[in-house]
Structures are given as structure tokens and as C-alpha cells.
Amino acid sequence: MSTLLLNLDFGEPPPKKALEGNAKHRKFVKKRRLLERKGFLNKKQQPPSKVSKLQSESSKKGKSPKVDGTWKAPLLSKKKTAASSGGSEQSLDKPSAVPWLTPAPSQKAGSVVAKVDLLGEFQSALPKIKSHPTRPRKKGSQKNAPQNSTQAHSEKKYSGASQKGPSKMVAIDCEMVGTGPKGHVSSLARCSIVNYNGDVLYDEYILPPCHIVDYRTRWSGIRKQHMVNATPFKIARSQILKILTGKIVVGHAIHNDFKALQYFHPKSLTRDTSHIPLLNRKADCPENATMSLKRLTKKLLDRDIQVGKSGHSSVEDAQATMELYKLVEVEWEQHLIQNPPKD
């Protein structure tokens, strides 16, 4: 009996794993797109390493992102090649190997919409900086400002003499006694300070630190009984300097008073009526001459001071000095603005 042999070639069946892998992948892609439409998935969750890997693979195959920012699935061709090559690349078919199928669009695509989206995400991630409002400048502040800085400084220094005179100006007069060898050293024995209106701010007898040799009663009016309850020099000096500090001080031959106080007052805040040419001019005297307080008071105020044998009154002399200064205050302050003295 002859044997019949049939040789039938039905072709090589496709690998089950590849077919099953394609079906699972399609199902996964559908679910993925559905979740993206509903907004459950965010593109920022994509790992940078896998995104760069997918971009490099797509650039090799010539795939480009769409205008709306979604990618063409480059892994579908991988599956086809995997099926034809006998499942050599089956690891790419598994969804677990490729969890992110829609990476961010590449900047090389040249898409305007993609660039705008990336720019918007970058700006939203930046911290918001609060801008402080600028204060508006006062009108005319720059126009009214003097051009010369030294002139502005001098005007600021001397403008208070006339505008704030009652509170910032005082007049001082001191009486001295003789101490030291043969009484030739002048020591402070009385000090009187009056304000702009002539009211007495300070008037005290002061005990010198040295022994008094000559009381000079004929001129000072100081007697021995005045020193019984007199204020010690150190205490009186601190009290006087508290009044003079920061004020414009008026006096006649005021350098003698400051010397007795052992004190130096700024020249810009000092007004010496014995060196104001305007007063001498009003009294018909030489401008550069040093006139006595008694003579200027008689000629300009028509008043007699320092009369009799009882001596001078420091309060009366301080009040007369302030009144003489008021006669030329406006003109003299303008002169000092233009010619400020150097301290």
C-alpha cells in the first residue's frame, strides 16, 4: 500500500505575544487620550529622561510634533517592526516599558503655539515680585533749588536768624573779677542771658575757682557779699552752655565773655555788635572802629547805661546789645548770607 505524504505550508504564525502586545497598547493609548481630554493627566509629570529619549527616537524617524502640541505615536512603527522581525523588540510593546506616550513638544519643531505654551508655563513658575510705588516729587522742588551748593548751605545756616529769631537768638553779657598775680587774670563772676525780647533767661553770680584778688567793683559791680552764695564755676558753666548750644548768640566784644567761660562758640552763630559796620555807620562813626556799648546805646537808642559808681549791670548791657542788633538785623543777615564767616 502506497503511502501518501502531504507537505502543506500554511506560513509562520505571528507571535502571540506581539499580537497581544499590540492590542494592549492600543487599549492603553485610548485610555491615555481619554484621561488627557478630561484633564486628569498633566504634561508636567513626564520624566525628563524618557521624554528626551522619545524626542531623539522621533527625530531619527523624521516625525515632527503637531501644531496642537500632541505627538504622533512613534511606537506604532516599532510594533510593526517587532512583529515582522520575530519579536526582537517586544520590550517596547509593553505599556510598562513606555508609560508616557505624549511627551512635551520639542523646541526644534518651530511651532508658534508650542513656544507660546512653554513661555506661559515658565512665566507662571516665576515668583511674583511686588513693586513699590514711587513717591511723587513736589512740583517746583528742582526749580527753586539753588545751583551752587555752598550758597544753599550758607542760606540754610543763616536763614534761621530772621525767621526764627525769637526762639533761636539770645544775648549775653558777663562781669569779671581779678584773680591770679596782682589780679591781672579776668575770671567770671556774673553772667546774664536774655532772649530776643529782652526777657531774662539766666542771671547768676559765679564763684571763680581761684582766689579773688580784685573785685573791680567800679566796673563789674561785684562785691564780697555776692560771692557768699554764688554758684561754683563748673556748675554755672554747664548751665550756661546748655542755653547757648545751637543758638545765635549776640554780644558786645563777645570774645571776652567766651574766654571767661572757657568756651568757643561757632562764628556762624555769633553776632558781635562791636564789629558790625552798619551800626557804626548809623552812629556816624568810622566803620572799622571799635565803639563802646555805652556810646552806641546813647547815639542809637538815646539811652544812658553804665552810669554811677555802683558798676555795670550785666542784664542791662545784654538787653542793650540785643536792641542794637535788632536795628540792623535784616541788612546784616543778608550780608552774612553773601559773605559767610569761616569757623
Side-chain angles (χ1 to χ4, degrees):
M1 185 177 181
S2 61
T3 303
L4 180 63
L5 297 175
L6 295 176
N7 188 9
L8 298 177
D9 187 10
F10 295 98
E12 185 178 357
K16 294 183 179 181
K17 291 183 180 181
L19 293 175
E20 291 177 1
N22 290 337
K24 289 181 180 181
H25 178 69
R26 293 190 191 96
K27 189 176 180 180
F28 174 75
V29 170
K30 289 181 181 180
K31 290 182 179 181
R32 174 72 183 184
R33 290 179 179 174
L34 181 61
L35 293 175
E36 286 181 355
R37 292 193 196 102
K38 293 183 178 182
F40 292 104
L41 295 180
N42 192 0
K43 294 181 180 181
K44 294 182 180 180
Q45 300 176 357
Q46 303 170 1
S49 59
K50 296 184 179 181
V51 171
S52 59
K53 181 178 179 182
L54 293 176
Q55 289 179 356
S56 61
E57 290 179 359
S58 63
S59 61
K60 290 180 181 179
K61 292 189 176 184
K63 300 291 182 177
S64 61
K66 294 182 180 180
V67 176
D68 57 354
T70 59
W71 282 68
K72 295 180 181 179
L75 296 179
L76 294 178
S77 59
K78 287 278 184 179
K79 294 177 183 181
K80 292 180 181 179
T81 56
S84 60
S85 62
S88 60
E89 298 181 1
Q90 293 180 4
S91 62
L92 296 174
D93 297 338
K94 296 181 181 181
S96 60
V98 187
W100 310 102
L101 298 177
T102 55
S106 174
Q107 294 182 358
K108 298 180 181 179
S111 175
V112 178
V113 179
K115 291 181 180 179
V116 171
D117 293 340
L118 290 175
L119 181 61
E121 292 180 2
F122 177 74
Q123 291 178 350
S124 62
L126 292 176
K128 295 182 180 180
I129 302 174
K130 296 182 180 181
S131 59
H132 298 282
T134 57
R135 295 181 180 179
R137 296 183 178 179
K138 296 182 180 180
K139 296 182 179 180
S141 60
Q142 296 180 353
K143 296 181 180 180
N144 298 331
Q147 297 178 357
N148 193 351
S149 60
T150 56
Q151 182 180 357
H153 180 70
S154 61
E155 287 182 2
K156 182 179 179 181
K157 183 185 295 184
Y158 291 102
S159 60
S162 58
Q163 296 179 359
K164 300 180 181 180
S167 60
K168 291 293 183 179
M169 299 188 68
V170 295
I172 187 174
D173 188 78
C174 298
E175 303 295 341
M176 288 73 161
V177 293
T179 59
K182 298 182 180 181
H184 291 169
V185 179
S186 296
S187 297
L188 185 64
R190 184 182 179 184
C191 180
S192 300
I193 302 174
V194 299
N195 62 10
Y196 188 79
N197 298 321
D199 301 326
V200 178
L201 300 177
Y202 185 89
D203 182 26
E204 294 289 338
Y205 290 101
I206 301 168
L207 180 64
C210 301
H211 176 69
I212 300 175
V213 178
D214 186 2
Y215 284 92
R216 303 178 185 177
T217 306
R218 172 69 178 80
W219 299 275
S220 66
I222 305 297
R223 290 175 172 82
K224 189 175 181 179
Q225 59 267 24
H226 293 148
M227 296 292 104
V228 175
N229 296 321
T231 306
F233 174 77
K234 289 185 178 180
I235 298 175
R237 183 178 181 274
S238 63
Q239 295 172 350
I240 294 168
L241 296 188
K242 286 182 181 179
I243 300 174
L244 301 184
T245 302
K247 291 185 174 61
I248 298 175
V249 182
V250 183
H252 195 83
I254 197 170
H255 61 279
N256 293 325
D257 301 328
F258 290 153
K259 185 178 179 180
L261 284 167
Q262 301 177 8
Y263 171 67
F264 293 95
H265 198 68
K267 288 185 178 180
S268 59
L269 299 177
T270 303
R271 306 292 183 266
D272 192 344
T273 53
S274 66
H275 291 88
I276 298 180
L278 291 174
L279 283 175
N280 292 7
R281 192 184 309 165
K282 286 181 175 293
D284 297 328
C285 298
E287 293 184 359
N288 297 329
T290 302
M291 304 299 297
S292 65
L293 180 62
K294 182 178 180 178
R295 186 175 178 183
L296 287 175
T297 304
K298 179 62 178 178
K299 283 200 169 189
L300 298 177
L301 302 177
D302 194 18
R303 190 169 70 211
D304 294 323
I305 61 172
Q306 302 176 358
V307 294
K309 295 181 180 181
S310 60
H312 302 176
S313 171
S314 55
V315 173
E316 185 182 45
D317 291 352
Q319 292 172 343
T321 303
M322 181 62 79
E323 291 182 25
L324 289 173
Y325 170 75
K326 287 181 181 180
L327 295 177
V328 293
E329 178 182 1
V330 177
E331 297 176 352
W332 186 242
E333 292 300 330
Q334 290 294 331
H335 172 76
L336 292 179
I337 292 174
Q338 299 175 0
N339 304 287
K342 295 181 180 180
D343 291 337

